[in-house]
Amino acid sequence: ADENGSDGLDIDEFKLAFGDILGKGKSDKQMEIMFMKIDTNCDGTVDWDEFCTYMLLEYQEKDSMNRGKRLPYPHPLKMVGSPHHELLSNISYMPTVQLESDHGFLATKKECGRYLSVSKDGTVCLWKSDLSLSRTIKLTPVKQRSIWVTSLTPLPNVNRFIAATTENVLLCYDLSAASDPLQVITGFPHCVVAMDYWYDPKDHNKGILLLGDTGGGVILIEFAQTQTGLFCTNDSLKSENGRITFGELLNDKVEDTKCSLLPNVHKDWTLQVKYCSTLEGFLSCSSDTHTALVFHDMHRRMDSVSFKIAKGVSSFDYSEMWNVIATGGLERNVRLWNPYVPAKPTATLRGHKAAILFIGINDPRNYLISFSKDRELRVWDMQDQVCLQSSHRFDKLGAQVPEALYIHPQNALLLLATNELGVLEPSEGGDFFVSREVHSHSQPLCAALYSEHFSQVVSGCHGGTICVWDVDTGSKVMQFVKTHGVAEITAMTFDPTGRRLVTGGRDGTVKIWNFNNGACLNVLHLTDSSEITSIVFLKGHIITGGWSHKIVSFTDTREAESVAKEWSEQRHKEDILCMTHCEPNILVSGSFDGDILVWNADSERKTCSLNYSHVTEQKCHVTKGKCHVTEGKCHVTEGKCHVTATESNNSVEKMVFLTARELTSDSVTLATCHSGGWVCFWNIYGSGLAGEFNIFQVDSMATVTMTTRSSMDSVTSCCTSKANDILVTGDTLGYLKVWNIEQYCLKVGVSVCRAPPPLCLSLRGHLQSVVSLVLAEERHLLISASTDCRVRLWRSNGRFIGTFGEQRNWQLVYPIHSSKLPRKLPPEISGSASFNTINTTTGPATSKWILARNLFRVLRRAVPMSGGPVALETVQEPLPSEDLSDIRKRVLGKCYQRKTRKRQLLLPRKPLQNGGLILPFTTLKCADIKEPQLHLPPIMQGLPLSIQEDTEDTESNVKVLRKRFQLCDILPEVAANHDRQAKDLSSPKVCTHQFKSKRKQRLSCNDI
C-alpha cells in the first residue's frame, strides 16, 4: 500500500488500504477522522507502529472504562440516617395495594411501596420509596419488661405487619392506626424466629402466614377472609384476658382462619421459611445437615422432600423465573438446586472465604446476591453462573457484621444494616431510593476543551481523570485515569493542530497525550516541581507558567525529552494565574497581584508592563470640621483629615486576546477578568487601560443583586468568538453572561470607558464557580465546566441541552432548532433559578394548550357552512364527539389523555372512640337529612314570596293582589280599606301574621 516508499501511509493510501477493512459503511470524512486519530505525531503519515499502538491502547482504555459500567453495583455505599440504636433484625418491603379503576379489584404495584426496618429493641421504622423516614413505632411488650424482636413480616393486603418477640407472642399492628397493637397472639410452644407472608394476587382476601420456631417446627396459618378473620377488630375473637391464644387458632375458633402445626420438621432451629406459589408449597431451612432444606407440599400430593447439605443452610431464596433454589451456609459455597431433585445440586458457586449469611435473587436482572460473614458481597449471574462483582466496601456500617439484608424484587436496590442503614444502588435502570445527581466527574473540574476535528469535548478534573465526550450524543467515548499519578491536573490545552492534549499537574510535570486512545506521548519536567497553572503553544514551543513566578518553555520535539528553559531574569512578583498569546510572537501573562506582562516570544523578554488595582472602599477620618472625598482626594474645610483606601484582591483570573481586531498602536486587543467582578480592556502598546465594567453591577437581566454576592466573588472564566463580536463570562456564582463587544472599546479614548457593553444573555448554569467556557461556533453551542463536577452543553441562545454523563443521551440534529429541544432545566438549578434563567434555559412558555382550548370552544359554538360566515349565536348543535376527539388527539398529540375518574377503595367506617369507649352507633349508615318541603294551599301558592319577606317591594305586590282578586270591582269600600292597609304594610314593623289576618278578611269580601 505504501506506493511512495515513505515507510508510512498518507491519507489517500490509508483510505485505499483500510477502506474495505475498517471503512465499511463509513464516509470519507469518517475515514479522515480515523486517520487523524492514528497520526499522533501529525506528520501526515501513519506507520505500522502508530496503527498497532492506537488499536491496542484504544480498546484497552475502552475496556477499562466499560468495566466500571458493567459492574452491577458500581456506586459506593450510601448511608441513610436511622433512629435505630440496636442491631436491626429484619428489613422488609411492603408494596402498594390499591384499587384498579378499570377492573374494580385490588392490584399490587411492586415498584412503589414502603420499607420496614425493625431493631431488636422493638423500634419499627417506616420508610418511603425514596428512603425518607415516614414514621416510627415503638412495640409494646406484653409483660412488664423490655422487648426483644426476632422477626417481622408485612401484610400488604390488609396494611398491617406482624412482629415476633422472645416472649413467644405475635404482635399485629395496623399501619394506619395508633401505636397500640391490634391483636396479640400468645401461647406459642416455642419462640418464633422466622416468618413469611403470601397473599393471592387475584383474591387479596386470601393469605398464608408461615412461622418457624426454635423447636424446628413450622406453623401454617391460612386466611380465607382477611377482613373478618384474625385481623378483625371484633372483641368476640379475644379471650378473657383480651388476647388470642395459639390453642384457639389450632382449634379453629377464629373465623375464616385455619392453623396447622408441623412439629419437628427440622432437628434444629428453623432459620428461614418461604412460601412458593408456583410450587404450591413452602421451603424451610436449618443448620442441621440431614434436614438442611425441606420442601413441603401444601396439598399433600407428595411427601416432604429433604435436601441433605453439610453443616446446614443459613439462608436461601427461590427464583420463579428459573425454578431454582439457591442455598448458602457454613460450608461457604452457593448451591443451586432443582426443587424436585434433592440428591445433587445443579451448580456450585465457589469464592466465599467465610460462612454465608444471606442469599437473595433478583429475577429481572438475573442477579444472585450472596453475603458472607467476612463482609464480602458477591453478585452472580444466574444464567452464566459466574461472579460479576466482589465487594468489601462496607466500612461505613461500622465494625459489626450486617445481620439484616434485603434486595428489592424490581430495581435490585440492596439494603444492608447493622444499627446503621446503608444502600447500594445498581448500575442503571429502576427507580432508586433517591434521584441520583448527574456528575460528569467525581472531582471538581479543571478545564474543558472542544475539538473541532473530532466534535468532542475533553474534560479533566482534579482527580487526574480525563474524559472524552461526544458532543452530538453526550456519551463518553474515552476515559483514562491517574494521568499525573496522585497529583492533580491544574492546566489543559490542545496543540495547534487540535489532535494532541497537553496537561500540567500540581507536581510540575507536563504530559502530552493522544486523547483518542489515552496514550502518553511525552513527559516534561520543571526544575523546581512547582504547580503549573497555564500552558500555551507558541512558535513550536510549549510555554508554561505557575507558582514559580517564571515563564518556562519546552521545545515541542517527538524524538527525545525537551529541557526546560526559563525566560530571562525578569519574572512576576506573585504566582502566574493565566496566559494567552497572539500570533506570531506575542505572549501575555497575568499574576495574582494584578500585574499583566507582555512578552516577545522571539527575544523572550518583556515589552510592556500593565497593572490593575481597583479601589473598592474609601474611608475618611476627620478630626474636626467637614470634608468630602472625590476620586480618592480629600478636601477639608477645617481641621485635619486623612483617607484610607481598602483595595480588593486584584488578581487576573482569565484573559483572552481579541485576535480579530487590527493590531495597531491605538487598538484595544486584550480583555482580562479580575476578582470583584471586573472585566477590563487593554491596549498593549503603552496606553494601558481603555475600558472597564463590573458584571455584577449590570442588573438589567435581574440575575444577581448586590446583596446576594460577597466582595470575594469574581469573574473566573471567559471566552470570545472568532470575530470577537461577543464575550462570554462565567463567575464564582455560576452565572453565564454574554456581552456584545462588537463596537466596545475598539480604540483608545481620551478617558477610560466605564460604561458596560450591551448584555445579551444572562442565566445561572451552575451552583459553583465556572472554571472553563468554550464556544463551538460552527454548531452554535456553548460548553461550560464548573467546580460542581459537571460539564454542560448549551445552545448559543441559552437553551439547556444536557449534562455530560447523563444516563439518557441526547441526539442533536443540525441545524439545531430550539423548538425541537426538550424543555428542561438542570435539577439543582431549578430550586434557585430566577424567572430569567428558567425562561432562557427552557425557552419561552408555549400557549398551545390555550389555543387548543379556545379552538374547542369555537368549534362547539359554530360550524362552518357553505354560503358564507355564520353567526355564533345562531348555531345550536355542536360537532360530534368523535370529531372533537380526533381533533384533540391531532392538536395535543402526546399531551392528550382522556380524563378518567378513579374508583375509591370502599372501606368500613371506623368507630369513633371517646377515650377508652367505642361508640358503635357511629358505624351505622344514616340517610342524609333532607330539607322539608312545605305544601301550601292552592290559594297560597299563587302569592309571591316577596310579600312575606321583602318590605321594599310592598307597593308592587299590592298591585298584584289587587289585580288577582279584583277587589276594586267588587267592593269599593274594601278597596279603600285595602289602600290603608297597604300604607301600614310599608312600615318595617308590620309582621307576617298581621298580613295573613288581613288577607283572610279580603278573601271573605271576595266571597261576598
Side-chain angles (χ1 to χ4, degrees):
D2 185 12
E3 298 178 356
N4 54 12
S6 59
D7 295 333
L9 304 179
D10 57 15
I11 181 64
D12 297 329
E13 294 173 345
F14 180 82
K15 292 180 181 179
L16 182 62
F18 293 96
D20 297 335
I21 302 175
L22 300 177
K24 289 184 177 180
K26 293 187 177 181
S27 61
D28 291 343
K29 184 177 181 181
Q30 292 175 330
M31 290 294 296
E32 292 176 0
I33 292 176
M34 182 176 293
F35 178 83
M36 288 188 293
K37 289 181 178 180
I38 300 175
D39 182 21
T40 55
N41 56 8
C42 304
D43 59 355
T45 60
V46 172
D47 54 22
W48 181 250
D49 292 338
E50 288 179 331
F51 179 78
C52 293
T53 302
Y54 172 80
M55 299 302 293
L56 291 175
L57 290 179
E58 180 188 19
Y59 287 103
Q60 180 181 354
E61 293 296 336
K62 284 187 176 181
D63 182 71
S64 177
M65 178 187 66
N66 295 330
R67 192 179 299 120
K69 295 182 179 180
R70 291 196 299 265
L71 290 178
Y73 295 93
H75 310 294
L77 183 70
K78 294 186 177 181
M79 302 304 297
V80 180
S82 170
H84 292 289
H85 300 287
E86 295 289 341
L87 290 176
L88 271 72
S89 57
N90 185 269
I91 300 175
S92 55
Y93 179 74
M94 176 181 285
T96 301
V97 179
Q98 64 182 15
L99 183 67
E100 289 288 344
S101 59
D102 297 336
H103 305 285
F105 59 82
L106 292 173
T108 303
K109 292 189 175 182
K110 295 183 179 180
E111 62 274 6
C112 56
R114 292 175 290 180
Y115 294 92
L116 283 83
S117 63
V118 58
S119 55
K120 294 183 178 181
D121 60 351
T123 302
V124 179
C125 292
L126 276 71
W127 310 85
K128 298 180 182 179
S129 58
D130 59 351
L131 279 184
S132 60
L133 185 61
S134 174
R135 184 184 176 189
T136 301
I137 301 175
K138 183 66 176 178
L139 302 185
T140 305
V142 177
K143 301 179 182 179
Q144 297 299 327
R145 58 181 181 181
S146 61
I147 196 172
W148 191 264
V149 179
T150 58
S151 182
L152 180 142
T153 184
L155 313 176
N157 59 329
V158 291
N159 197 30
R160 295 176 175 89
F161 70 87
I162 292 180
T165 68
T166 55
E167 300 172 324
N168 296 2
V169 298
L170 294 182
L171 303 176
C172 180
Y173 282 80
D174 189 350
L175 291 177
S176 60
S179 58
D180 296 331
L182 182 67
Q183 294 287 0
V184 179
I185 307 174
T186 62
F188 287 94
H190 301 282
C191 177
V192 177
V193 293
M195 291 192 297
D196 185 51
Y197 181 76
W198 173 88
Y199 62 93
D200 192 351
K202 297 182 180 179
D203 186 3
H204 285 206
N205 287 321
K206 296 180 180 180
I208 296 175
L209 177 64
L210 291 173
L211 307 175
D213 56 27
T214 56
V218 177
I219 301 173
L220 176 66
I221 304 177
E222 300 180 64
F223 306 98
Q225 185 69 28
T226 55
Q227 297 293 339
T228 60
L230 179 65
F231 308 111
C232 181
T233 58
N234 193 351
D235 291 340
S236 62
L237 295 178
K238 300 180 181 180
S239 58
E240 296 179 357
N241 57 359
R243 300 166 185 169
I244 300 175
T245 63
F246 177 66
E248 293 175 347
L249 289 177
L250 285 177
N251 297 329
D252 297 337
K253 292 186 178 181
V254 180
E255 183 182 0
D256 297 327
T257 304
K258 180 181 178 181
C259 181
S260 303
L261 174 61
L262 304 177
N264 302 324
V265 176
H266 303 277
K267 297 180 181 180
D268 204 340
W269 288 15
T270 304
L271 301 178
Q272 184 180 350
V273 291
K274 183 178 181 63
Y275 180 80
C276 306
S277 58
T278 55
L279 300 178
E280 296 184 352
F282 65 86
L283 293 166
S284 60
C285 71
S286 70
S287 58
D288 179 60
T289 300
H290 298 281
T291 58
L293 183 69
V294 176
F295 172 72
H296 185 83
D297 189 359
M298 293 287 295
H299 302 287
R300 301 183 183 275
R301 294 169 297 187
M302 55 182 294
D303 296 335
S304 298
V305 179
S306 298
F307 296 77
K308 184 178 180 180
I309 304 173
K311 300 181 182 180
V313 173
S314 58
S315 179
F316 71 90
D317 201 358
Y318 172 72
S319 172
E320 295 183 357
M321 185 174 69
W322 297 97
N323 192 27
V324 168
I325 303 173
T327 63
L330 295 176
E331 206 179 5
R332 300 176 296 180
N333 294 330
V334 179
R335 290 182 170 89
L336 304 181
W337 302 83
N338 188 323
Y340 304 105
V341 183
K344 185 179 180 181
T346 58
T348 302
L349 308 179
R350 296 178 173 85
H352 281 286
K353 299 178 182 179
I356 298 175
L357 303 178
F358 173 78
I359 294 290
I361 297 177
N362 181 265
D363 283 338
R365 295 172 179 258
N366 295 332
Y367 287 169
L368 170 62
I369 310 295
S370 60
F371 188 82
S372 58
K373 196 172 183 179
D374 59 350
R375 296 155 60 101
E376 180 186 12
L377 176 71
R378 283 183 174 265
V379 184
W380 310 82
D381 185 88
M382 288 288 294
Q383 183 177 3
D384 299 334
Q385 298 176 1
V386 295
C387 182
L388 302 177
Q389 183 181 1
S390 176
S391 175
H392 295 82
R393 304 170 298 172
F394 306 107
D395 296 335
K396 296 180 180 180
L397 293 175
Q400 297 174 331
V401 179
E403 297 184 7
L405 295 95
Y406 178 80
I407 181 172
H408 196 282
Q410 297 297 321
N411 56 29
L413 192 70
L414 185 62
L415 283 75
L416 306 92
T418 52
N419 59 341
E420 301 288 340
L421 185 61
V423 182
L424 278 180
E425 294 179 282
S427 57
E428 58 184 8
D431 297 328
F432 304 146
F433 75 101
V434 65
S435 58
R436 185 164 51 91
E437 295 182 355
V438 179
H439 292 89
S440 306
H441 287 260
S442 59
Q443 298 291 332
L445 269 298
C446 165
L449 309 174
Y450 173 68
S451 174
E452 296 182 1
H453 296 295
F454 309 116
S455 300
Q456 294 174 345
V457 174
V458 182
S459 59
C461 68
H462 291 168
T465 301
I466 295 177
C467 296
V468 182
W469 312 88
D470 186 8
V471 173
D472 297 335
T473 62
S475 60
K476 186 185 295 184
V477 179
M478 179 63 61
Q479 172 182 311
F480 42 104
V481 299
K482 297 182 179 179
T483 53
H484 286 261
V486 296
E488 300 178 0
I489 299 178
T490 55
M492 291 175 53
T493 189
F494 282 140
D495 69 343
T497 63
R499 293 155 63 177
R500 291 182 299 164
L501 175 68
V502 183
T503 60
R506 189 179 292 275
D507 57 353
T509 60
V510 179
K511 293 187 177 183
I512 305 175
W513 305 85
N514 180 356
F515 60 88
N516 289 288
N517 59 3
C520 183
L521 306 178
N522 201 352
V523 180
L524 309 175
H525 299 276
L526 295 181
T527 56
D528 53 358
S529 301
S530 58
E531 178 178 336
I532 298 174
T533 58
S534 56
I535 304 175
V536 169
F537 263 93
L538 185 61
K539 297 182 70 64
H541 289 78
I542 302 174
I543 304 174
T544 64
W547 288 7
S548 63
H549 307 174
K550 298 178 293 185
I551 303 294
V552 181
S553 64
F554 301 88
T555 304
D556 184 16
T557 60
R558 303 173 182 85
E559 306 300 333
E561 182 178 351
S562 178
V563 180
K565 180 182 179 181
E566 298 182 3
W567 281 19
S568 70
E569 295 297 331
Q570 298 173 343
R571 62 178 65 182
H572 283 272
K573 299 178 182 178
E574 290 289 342
D575 299 339
I576 300 175
L577 301 183
C578 57
M579 293 194 306
T580 186
H581 72 285
C582 178
E583 297 291 344
N585 59 354
I586 299 177
L587 176 71
V588 184
S589 60
S591 60
F592 181 78
D593 57 355
D595 285 339
I596 302 173
L597 303 183
V598 183
W599 305 81
N600 188 320
D602 295 332
S603 61
E604 300 178 359
R605 291 188 176 276
K606 181 180 65 175
T607 60
C608 181
S609 178
L610 307 171
N611 184 272
Y612 179 79
S613 60
H614 192 274
V615 178
T616 58
E617 184 180 2
Q618 295 176 340
K619 296 181 180 180
C620 181
H621 306 275
V622 183
T623 306
K624 184 179 179 181
K626 298 180 181 180
C627 79
H628 60 278
V629 179
T630 58
E631 296 183 357
K633 298 180 181 181
C634 182
H635 307 275
V636 185
T637 305
E638 183 180 0
K640 296 181 179 181
C641 170
H642 62 278
V643 178
T644 60
T646 303
E647 294 187 358
S648 64
N649 178 16
N650 302 307
S651 60
V652 185
E653 301 290 343
K654 289 287 182 179
M655 57 175 55
V656 59
F657 226 106
L658 307 179
T659 57
R661 296 187 177 184
E662 185 180 1
L663 195 61
T664 59
S665 58
D666 60 345
S667 61
V668 179
T669 55
L670 180 65
T672 58
C673 301
H674 303 264
S675 60
W678 293 96
V679 179
C680 301
F681 289 78
W682 304 85
N683 174 269
I684 63 174
Y685 291 105
S687 298
L689 184 64
E692 64 174 352
F693 67 93
N694 194 300
I695 66 170
F696 296 125
Q697 295 177 359
V698 181
D699 200 24
S700 61
M701 304 296 290
T703 56
V704 182
T705 60
M706 297 299 292
T707 59
T708 60
R709 70 176 186 91
S710 65
S711 59
M712 300 302 295
D713 293 327
S714 60
V715 187
T716 54
S717 60
C718 65
C719 68
T720 182
S721 60
K722 295 180 180 179
N724 299 143
D725 53 351
I726 62 172
L727 176 70
V728 185
T729 60
D731 52 47
T732 53
L733 299 178
Y735 282 87
L736 310 179
K737 297 184 179 182
V738 180
W739 310 83
N740 185 358
I741 60 171
E742 186 177 3
Q743 301 295 328
Y744 185 78
C745 283
L746 297 179
K747 301 291 183 180
V748 176
V750 178
S751 61
V752 177
C753 176
R754 290 183 170 84
L759 180 59
C760 305
L761 179 67
S762 178
L763 60 94
R764 189 167 195 179
H766 300 271
L767 291 181
Q768 297 182 18
S769 176
V770 180
V771 297
S772 183
L773 290 171
V774 183
L775 276 173
E777 295 187 57
E778 72 281 0
R779 297 174 181 263
H780 302 284
L781 298 175
L782 174 65
I783 299 102
S784 64
S786 171
T787 54
D788 61 1
C789 308
R790 297 176 178 91
V791 182
R792 289 203 164 106
L793 184 65
W794 314 80
R795 200 168 181 267
S796 56
N797 60 356
R799 284 294 299 273
F800 176 64
I801 296 177
T803 303
F804 291 99
E806 294 179 354
Q807 291 184 357
R808 295 183 179 180
N809 298 329
W810 55 81
Q811 294 290 338
L812 295 183
V813 179
Y814 299 95
I816 302 175
H817 298 283
S818 298
S819 59
K820 296 182 179 180
L821 293 176
R823 298 171 57 86
K824 62 179 181 179
L825 188 69
E828 68 278 1
I829 298 296
S830 58
S832 59
S834 63
F835 172 77
N836 177 71
T837 298
I838 297 176
N839 190 35
T840 304
T841 55
T842 61
T846 59
S847 57
K848 290 185 178 180
W849 67 275
I850 300 178
L851 297 177
R853 183 190 62 184
N854 296 336
L855 176 62
F856 298 151
R857 290 178 178 177
V858 173
L859 292 177
R860 288 191 180 98
R861 297 177 60 188
V863 179
M865 301 175 60
S866 59
V870 181
L872 299 180
E873 291 77 4
T874 61
V875 180
Q876 302 295 335
E877 297 182 0
L879 290 177
S881 59
E882 295 81 8
D883 297 340
L884 288 177
S885 179
D886 296 339
I887 293 175
R888 291 190 184 101
K889 291 181 180 179
R890 184 169 61 256
V891 175
L892 298 180
K894 296 181 180 179
C895 299
Y896 172 71
Q897 291 182 355
R898 184 181 294 275
K899 292 184 178 180
T900 57
R901 180 175 296 176
K902 296 182 179 180
R903 297 180 58 184
Q904 298 182 355
L905 179 63
L906 300 178
L907 298 174
R909 298 180 60 185
K910 297 181 180 179
L912 297 179
Q913 294 187 5
N914 186 8
L917 300 178
I918 298 179
L919 307 179
F921 61 86
T922 59
T923 60
L924 298 178
K925 295 184 178 180
C926 300
D928 297 334
I929 299 177
K930 298 181 180 179
E931 184 179 357
Q933 298 181 358
L934 300 178
H935 299 281
L936 300 177
I939 193 64
M940 293 290 293
Q941 295 178 2
L943 295 177
L945 295 178
S946 59
I947 296 179
Q948 303 179 18
E949 299 177 356
D950 194 357
T951 59
E952 295 179 359
D953 299 333
T954 304
E955 296 181 1
S956 61
N957 293 332
V958 169
K959 294 180 181 179
V960 175
L961 286 174
R962 183 178 297 173
K963 182 178 180 181
R964 184 172 182 84
F965 298 106
Q966 300 177 359
L967 297 178
C968 296
D969 298 337
I970 299 175
L971 293 176
E973 61 275 14
V974 176
N977 188 20
H978 177 271
D979 293 336
R980 290 193 298 270
Q981 293 176 356
K983 294 180 180 179
D984 296 335
L985 287 174
S986 62
S987 175
K989 298 182 180 180
V990 178
C991 300
T992 304
H993 68 276
Q994 296 177 354
F995 180 79
K996 290 182 179 179
S997 61
K998 295 177 182 180
R999 175 171 165 267
K1000 292 180 181 179
Q1001 296 177 3
R1002 297 192 192 101
L1003 293 177
S1004 61
C1005 295
N1006 193 15
D1007 294 337
I1008 296 173

